[in-house]
Amino acid sequence: MSRSTSSDPVSRRTWLKGAAAGLGPLSLGGALALPPARRALAGAFAPASALAALKLSGPWLNSPPLDATVLRGRVVIVCFWTYSCINSLRVLPYLRAWQTRYGQRGLTVVGVHTPEFAFETEVLNVRQAVKDLDVKFPVALDSDRRIWSAFGNNAWPAFYVIDADGRVRGHVDGEGRYDQIERLVRKLLTDVPGPAMAEALSVVAGAGPEAAPDFPDLGSGETYVGYGQASAFVSAGGLRHDVEQLYHSPRDLPLNRWSLSGGWTVGEEFATSATPKATITHRFHARDLHMVLAPASPNRPVRIRVRLDGQAPGQDHGWDVDADGASVVDRPRMYQLIRQVGPVVDRAFQIEALDPGLRVYAFTFG
């Protein structure tokens, strides 16, 4: 799934299975043919470049601030992303490859980091994530969503391909269509002086959480835990808001439902374990299971234990967990906890917080 938004609270649910918006032309000169949000963008910056919007937020990582003047004469990919989003992570190998292959030829990749969760607004957290994820292209921190709003954007990830004259020539929401994006970039680069380009498209393969999703076997949707967007919760009595509560999981959990057991305090954005060995359980159908997790206190890591159908995950353990299901949550980010190596079937997943103070934001799958 790729995250998407509308006038409702931020959600990633709409772009399930790579339902991209396509790479249709989006020229500011044709503003009257655009949807209202795009017309607003065109009106705001015409006849100036859409890249003028990059001045609206900051600071910048990996680069001095970039704007239409600095980027004049270059082809630009503006990609909206956020570091705890699995869909955003899976596009990073393509952005790295394109910047490396075409950077000297006239391409600049700009990542606009627009957060979903509060911890993603903190500069130190984003800076650490950019380092951990080996992101070397320029990143504008858009924590107040000014660039996002100027572009009329509504999804993580979202790609805007901009020509050397500053015109938006293509737009894709969600994962996929990488070949179309690269072909458009190559076409626009032919208008920029430089040597001939090799004919073949880039060969890209991500590792760990950045690996391509298994959409054919994806039968579970993103699930939020904080009461602001929570759904599919089945523990008796429902979620209690902002108070510590002792929960009990049902004996049999239906597919795509989740429950709590032990002491938890459920807030609007996340739930926090209040007692040792508190658990959260989800029955899912997907190759990969990820969770957005954080320690409640920055300097107090939380030990966790993962179980799959009541057993250690073994060879089905994810990138951030060992075969015994052990891991430590030491910073706010997305953790890959399960990657099944065999046929994908319905499975019961459980995460146990061995220490109090585990914050749980969301489940994502792939």
Side-chain angles (χ1 to χ4, degrees):
M1 291 173 303
S2 298
R3 305 182 184 186
S4 68
T5 68
S6 66
S7 57
D8 299 322
V10 176
S11 170
R12 291 173 285 188
R13 304 177 196 279
T14 303
W15 302 103
L16 182 63
K17 298 188 177 180
L23 246 177
L26 186 62
S27 168
L28 295 188
L32 293 180
L34 302 179
R38 303 288 183 256
R39 288 203 301 271
L41 171 64
F45 297 108
S49 165
L51 294 173
L54 298 179
K55 287 185 173 181
L56 298 177
S57 287
W60 286 70
L61 305 180
N62 298 336
S63 169
L66 301 179
D67 59 24
T69 301
V70 176
L71 294 170
R72 182 180 295 119
R74 296 188 66 80
V75 174
V76 181
I77 296 176
V78 173
C79 180
F80 288 88
W81 71 297
T82 188
Y83 84 80
S84 77
C85 171
I86 181 57
N87 313 97
S88 293
L89 298 185
R90 289 193 293 237
V91 306
L92 292 180
Y94 294 90
L95 296 175
R96 293 192 203 98
W98 295 335
Q99 181 65 66
T100 298
R101 185 175 187 186
Y102 302 115
Q104 294 298 318
R105 184 60 182 76
L107 174 70
T108 298
V109 172
V110 174
V112 178
H113 186 274
T114 310
E116 177 176 18
F117 299 116
F119 65 78
E120 294 172 305
T121 68
E122 298 180 18
V123 176
L124 290 179
N125 287 342
V126 183
R127 191 184 302 278
Q128 183 65 54
V130 164
K131 178 181 177 181
D132 293 343
L133 295 169
D134 193 31
V135 171
K136 293 185 170 63
F137 51 80
V139 175
L141 273 59
D142 187 35
S143 295
D144 51 12
R145 300 194 180 181
R146 292 182 180 177
I147 302 174
W148 173 287
S149 297
F151 270 77
N153 191 57
N154 66 355
W156 296 279
F159 301 86
Y160 295 82
V161 183
I162 301 171
D163 68 17
D165 294 322
R167 297 173 298 173
V168 181
R169 299 288 294 274
H171 167 217
V172 164
D173 284 334
E175 300 180 61
R177 307 204 180 190
Y178 304 115
D179 57 339
Q180 296 181 42
I181 296 171
E182 186 171 3
R183 286 191 179 97
L184 177 58
V185 167
R186 291 167 60 87
K187 179 175 181 292
L188 297 178
L189 286 174
T190 61
D191 296 330
V192 177
M197 293 173 284
E199 292 185 3
L201 296 179
S202 304
V203 177
V204 178
E210 296 181 2
D214 178 22
F215 282 138
D217 287 317
L218 180 57
S220 294
E222 180 167 55
T223 305
Y224 290 88
V225 174
Y227 64 74
Q229 297 189 72
S231 61
F233 179 71
V234 296
S235 292
L239 290 174
R240 295 287 304 278
H241 295 188
D242 301 313
V243 295
E244 184 177 332
Q245 175 75 12
L246 188 64
Y247 292 91
H248 301 279
S249 293
R251 184 185 299 271
D252 296 310
L253 197 63
L255 182 64
N256 292 328
R257 298 293 185 268
W258 63 282
S259 64
L260 297 170
S261 181
W264 291 86
T265 300
V266 180
E268 183 175 7
E269 192 175 64
F270 53 82
T272 305
S273 64
T275 59
K277 299 187 177 180
T279 65
I280 181 169
T281 306
H282 194 300
R283 189 165 183 83
F284 73 103
H285 186 102
R287 183 194 67 190
D288 300 342
L289 181 149
H290 322 91
M291 296 187 76
V292 180
L293 305 169
S297 300
N299 298 319
R300 297 186 63 179
V302 178
R303 298 169 301 151
I304 62 171
R305 180 163 54 204
V306 167
R307 290 292 178 261
L308 196 59
D309 296 330
Q311 305 296 321
Q315 63 180 352
D316 292 326
H317 71 92
W319 186 264
D320 295 298
V321 176
D322 66 22
D324 291 330
S327 186
V328 175
V329 175
D330 59 354
R331 65 186 63 169
R333 63 178 177 90
M334 191 211 74
Y335 292 75
Q336 186 187 82
L337 304 179
I338 298 295
R339 167 157 286 171
Q340 298 188 70
V341 297
V344 174
V345 297
D346 297 354
R347 308 295 295 269
F349 166 87
Q350 182 181 82
I351 181 172
E352 180 181 17
L354 301 178
D355 309 302
L358 177 68
R359 287 183 176 176
V360 182
Y361 292 78
F363 292 90
T364 58
F365 302 92

